[in-house]
Amino acid sequence: PIHPRAMQFLSDNAAAVHPRVWLAMRDADAPQPPYDNDALSHGLDAAFSELFARPCAVLWAATGTAANCLALATLVPPHGGVICHREAHIETDECGAPGFYTHGAKLILAEGEGALLTPAAVTAAIGAIRKDVHQVQPHALSLTQASEYGRVYRPGEMAELGGVAREHGLKLHVDGARFANAVAFLECTPWEACQGADTLAFGCIKNGGMSAEALVLFDPELADLARLRRKRAGHLQSKGRFLAAQLLALVEDGLWLDNARAANAAARELAKAAAGRLLHPVEANEVFLALSADERAALRAQGFAFYDWGEDAARLVTAWNADPGHVHSLAEAIGKL
């Protein structure tokens, strides 16, 4: 159990909802057509098309798992496969949901430092599969931006991986649970951070939202199929305007990037204090560092909450509303270990 007054570095999922998101939901609390027939839901396509500077269709979903898996089910048949990193969230943290939503598609695992894939790793995974009816053939490549270790694909790397996918006839899906943090780190356009993607699970809950993620379809013709799959999966909420309101509040006027920049800045302060303890470069809002059991206990005794990450390691996650005093105190405590 975590003490309610602990200084919170467990997860950005534990962060507060941004006040502007609450306000948008309150403003949406008026009679509107149900499901996704309201004006706010209808406004998502235009808002995200402007954000990415290209036509796209957008569906709201209640969870990142749903957004990822509905995307994959739209791209991959039951007999197909999805190439992803061995430590991708869809492999390690979604309880088999990709197979459930796709009705059996297989995850084909590849390796890469920092949970990042390279063109060579993807090509090797494809090359190991015989082109016959006895083996699962890949239909999609899934990348996480930022990765499960807080690492970020540069625009050139994303473009190269997209090229490999197209060369082999694969669709490209991007799990963007922390996409905002990646874009804030790169200081590039949103499209440059996911260029070549056919689908993107645009994360909002970790970045000031409450209960809404965006499934962005860069091929709008996929939208009808995705909507049918969303309904069949039980994710077509009757009061969808409250999800749409959250998404619009975050992307309008750049709030999503402001929040991500604040979280990233807090992580950089912790990274500076951790110095030689860092297990991965800090590029988004996650800090992985070497800490012994005694050192972790010492930090927790001072009131800091965080997750152990394997043996003699810990993960610290900063959020959009990270308390500067708590961040400074933790940085100071790490420096004194």
Side-chain angles (χ1 to χ4, degrees):
I2 303 301
H3 194 281
R5 295 183 181 176
M7 287 176 276
Q8 175 63 255
F9 295 91
L10 280 170
S11 172
D12 36 13
N13 282 324
V17 175
H18 195 281
R20 281 169 57 181
V21 172
W22 280 120
L23 181 61
M25 293 179 68
R26 188 193 70 182
D27 290 344
D29 193 15
Q32 286 262 3
Y35 306 110
D36 58 357
N37 295 312
D38 59 280
L40 294 171
S41 295
H42 284 178
L44 291 174
D45 290 0
F48 279 82
S49 294
E50 180 178 356
L51 187 70
F52 286 96
R54 65 200 55 248
C56 57
V58 179
L59 283 67
W60 42 252
T63 68
T65 297
N68 277 330
C69 296
L70 287 169
L72 293 175
T74 302
L75 301 177
V76 181
H79 58 270
V82 179
I83 296 173
C84 66
H85 194 280
R86 183 173 298 279
E87 296 189 67
H89 198 276
I90 58 174
E91 163 66 10
T92 63
D93 285 287
E94 292 188 345
C95 195
F100 176 80
Y101 276 76
T102 60
H103 301 283
K106 178 183 179 181
L107 298 182
I108 301 167
L109 307 182
E111 305 286 351
E113 188 269 335
L116 296 173
L117 291 178
T118 63
V122 174
T123 301
I126 296 170
I129 300 168
R130 294 195 318 269
K131 303 295 189 262
D132 62 45
V133 73
H134 300 287
Q135 295 202 321
V136 172
Q137 302 300 312
H139 284 251
L141 169 64
S142 180
L143 306 174
T144 309
Q145 177 76 312
S147 83
E148 286 72 16
Y149 284 106
R151 300 292 302 280
V152 175
Y153 290 100
R154 274 48 174 183
E157 294 170 331
M158 186 65 70
E160 192 173 3
L161 284 159
V164 171
R166 288 189 297 275
E167 178 185 347
H168 293 278
L170 309 183
K171 297 294 187 180
L172 177 59
H173 168 64
V174 176
D175 176 349
R178 295 186 174 93
F179 184 72
N181 303 94
V183 175
F185 170 77
L186 293 170
E187 297 182 337
C188 66
T189 68
W191 176 246
E192 287 174 321
C194 67
Q195 58 189 295
D198 295 284
T199 58
L200 165 70
F202 184 96
C204 290
I205 295 172
K206 289 178 168 63
N207 194 33
M210 187 186 82
S211 58
E213 305 281 273
L215 169 50
V216 183
L217 303 155
F218 294 107
D219 178 359
E221 292 186 4
L222 294 173
D224 287 343
L225 176 57
R227 289 189 181 97
L228 291 171
R229 289 193 172 277
R230 180 176 64 175
K231 173 62 178 178
R232 189 172 188 268
H235 278 276
L236 180 60
Q237 295 197 28
S238 59
K239 296 182 180 179
R241 64 186 183 276
F242 291 104
L243 282 75
Q246 296 174 56
L247 301 176
L248 292 172
L250 284 167
V251 300
E252 289 175 348
D253 301 322
L255 179 60
W256 69 293
L257 275 180
D258 291 341
N259 286 353
R261 291 185 184 111
N264 287 5
R268 286 196 300 271
E269 182 175 346
L270 297 180
K272 185 177 180 180
R277 294 178 178 271
L278 292 178
L279 300 175
H280 299 279
V282 175
E283 297 176 342
N285 65 322
E286 295 180 281
V287 182
F288 296 85
L289 65 165
L291 289 173
S292 69
D294 287 344
E295 289 171 331
R296 298 196 302 272
L299 290 177
R300 289 186 172 114
Q302 295 174 66
F304 301 108
F306 53 88
Y307 283 125
D308 294 341
W309 209 260
E311 192 172 339
D312 291 333
R315 185 192 77 165
L316 314 173
V317 182
T318 55
W320 71 270
N321 65 335
D323 185 303
H326 293 176
V327 174
H328 180 73
S329 295
L330 178 54
E332 192 173 58
I334 292 170
K336 291 179 178 179
L337 290 174

